[in-house]
Amino acid sequence: MPEDPSCIIVIPCLNEERHIGALLDQLRPAAERLGARIIVADGGSRDATRAIVGMAALEDANVVMIDNPGRIQSAALNLAVEIFGEGVDYLIRIDAHGGYPDDYCDCLIEEARETGADSVVVSMLTKGTGLLQQAAAAAQNSKLGTGGSKHRHRSSGEWVDHGHHALMRVNVFRDLGGYDESFSHNEDAEFDHRLRQAGCKIWMSGRTRMTYYPRNSLVGLYRQYFGYGRGRAKNVLKHRVAPKLRQLAPLMVAPAASLALLAPLHAVFAAPLMLWAATCLGYGLMLGLRTGAPKRALAGISAMVMHFAWSLGFWLQLLDAGTRGRAA
């Protein structure tokens, strides 16, 4: 590893006027310490995002904004590496809608150098402010919402198969062709599959983590997890990998809802759906009582939205693929 590795810090962005200014202010000192360039890849923001980034770029030559006509995150990262990746050692991926410690980038590079990892991922704590956002955060931080996914819980540092993307070696990213831009969601999991197939190693940081702020409406949460479900199904189809054991229970929610449509014929058809709903609502109530935070009792409703949307997106993607296959 070089003694003073160069890196680019890439922020995919779309309509983030509430967050982008403070995020750039926080990242600029780290970029100066590391000799890094901050690249905001904007997907066509219609709010004040572009103006805010433009002002930051006037103040600091290390801040650059590029247009991302592909609009999605995978396209943003690929474009940034294509334009600015030559001769650069590391790519650091930053979510515009996230929170980070001041030494986040420093820690990532230190761990990459010490472990020799090709990718450093981080665990993620979800936080919220309003009622619905807090409920979604409680669901996403729980085993009910995530099934015990490793990157949803603090790590002491370990080798993993997948995690929230934070740092990658640019030469490895390029050699593997970058992200698959046909994935609007789950592009990180798809990339990690190819990364492991190539014999590369993924290290989950034990020194730093990020904070994620979830959607603040049930509609937004539904759309997000519907996309996640479609992305997971695309990954299954592309690489012929079976869903993980922790994903099997939520996977059956949409079929259970379909089965419940036969309830007028016999009540037994509604039993699986009712059992799932009771489990989610009961878990939320228990969470609220245990933590002394009544708002967290709504986590069960958020979890139900997440499960149903994820399951429906997964099965519709499989059906779409099957329909296209028969048509071909």
Side-chain angles (χ1 to χ4, degrees):
M1 295 289 177
E3 285 300 316
D4 297 305
S6 59
C7 70
I8 53 176
I9 301 170
V10 183
I11 310 173
C13 189
L14 179 64
N15 296 327
E16 290 289 354
E17 64 179 5
R18 294 177 58 189
H19 304 279
I20 193 65
L23 181 60
L24 289 174
D25 288 343
Q26 183 181 26
L27 290 173
R28 284 165 59 186
E32 185 176 355
R33 288 193 302 272
L34 299 170
R37 175 177 279 144
I38 302 173
I39 304 156
V40 179
D42 184 75
S45 294
R46 295 185 177 181
D47 60 5
T49 296
R50 296 177 67 87
I52 294 170
V53 177
M55 288 297 295
L58 289 175
E59 296 173 3
D60 189 342
N62 284 330
V63 177
V64 178
M65 182 170 62
I66 61 175
D67 293 323
N68 171 28
R71 295 178 65 85
I72 59 177
Q73 292 181 329
S74 54
L77 273 295
N78 288 349
L79 183 61
V81 170
E82 179 184 345
I83 298 174
F84 298 101
E86 189 65 35
V88 173
D89 299 308
Y90 297 117
L91 157 68
I92 294 178
R93 172 175 172 168
I94 297 289
D95 292 330
H97 208 61
Y100 300 87
D102 290 338
D103 62 350
Y104 182 76
C105 296
D106 307 77
C107 290
L108 294 175
I109 289 181
E110 288 172 7
E111 288 192 275
R113 294 178 63 186
E114 291 172 5
T115 62
D118 300 288
S119 172
V120 179
V121 298
V122 293
S123 54
M124 183 166 60
L125 175 67
T126 307
K127 288 185 178 180
T129 52
L131 178 63
L132 291 176
Q133 196 177 53
Q134 287 181 4
Q140 291 175 358
N141 286 330
S142 71
K143 288 188 176 181
L144 177 69
T146 65
S149 176
K150 280 191 175 182
H151 69 274
R152 291 287 185 171
H153 305 280
R154 184 176 291 276
S155 171
S156 58
E158 58 187 312
W159 297 104
V160 295
D161 291 337
H162 173 58
H164 185 79
H165 278 196
L167 175 147
M168 286 174 279
R169 291 172 55 115
V170 170
N171 64 331
V172 172
F173 187 81
R174 281 181 149 180
D175 288 346
L176 293 177
Y179 287 121
D180 184 339
E181 294 183 21
S182 69
F183 282 70
S184 62
H185 297 74
N186 290 107
E187 76 284 347
D188 51 352
E190 191 281 327
F191 183 86
D192 282 347
H193 181 86
R194 287 186 282 126
L195 197 67
R196 297 193 309 274
Q197 284 187 321
C200 298
K201 292 184 177 181
I202 304 170
W203 175 258
M204 179 169 284
S205 172
R207 297 182 187 173
T208 193
R209 65 187 303 180
M210 70 153 308
T211 301
Y212 175 74
Y213 300 99
R215 302 298 189 270
N216 56 12
S217 73
L218 293 180
V219 172
L221 192 66
Y222 172 87
R223 289 174 177 168
Q224 180 184 29
Y225 275 81
F226 183 83
Y228 286 161
R230 280 193 173 272
R232 178 57 60 182
K234 289 184 70 172
N235 206 11
V236 167
L237 292 169
K238 179 176 180 178
H239 296 294
R240 297 292 187 259
V241 292
K244 294 181 179 179
L245 184 62
R246 63 180 174 82
Q247 296 169 334
L248 293 181
L251 193 60
M252 300 313 298
V253 172
S258 299
L259 187 66
L261 295 176
L262 299 176
L265 300 178
H266 198 290
V268 70
F269 291 115
L273 187 69
M274 298 303 293
L275 177 61
W276 162 73
T279 300
C280 291
L281 295 175
Y283 187 96
L285 181 60
M286 180 190 68
L287 190 63
L289 292 173
R290 188 178 64 195
T291 61
K295 293 179 181 178
R296 293 190 176 184
L298 296 176
I301 296 175
S302 295
M304 289 173 68
V305 172
M306 291 158 53
H307 290 172
F308 178 76
W310 190 90
S311 179
L312 184 63
F314 184 96
W315 290 111
L316 288 180
Q317 182 63 39
L318 291 188
L319 289 173
D320 287 349
T323 300
R324 289 194 300 269
R326 287 193 297 271

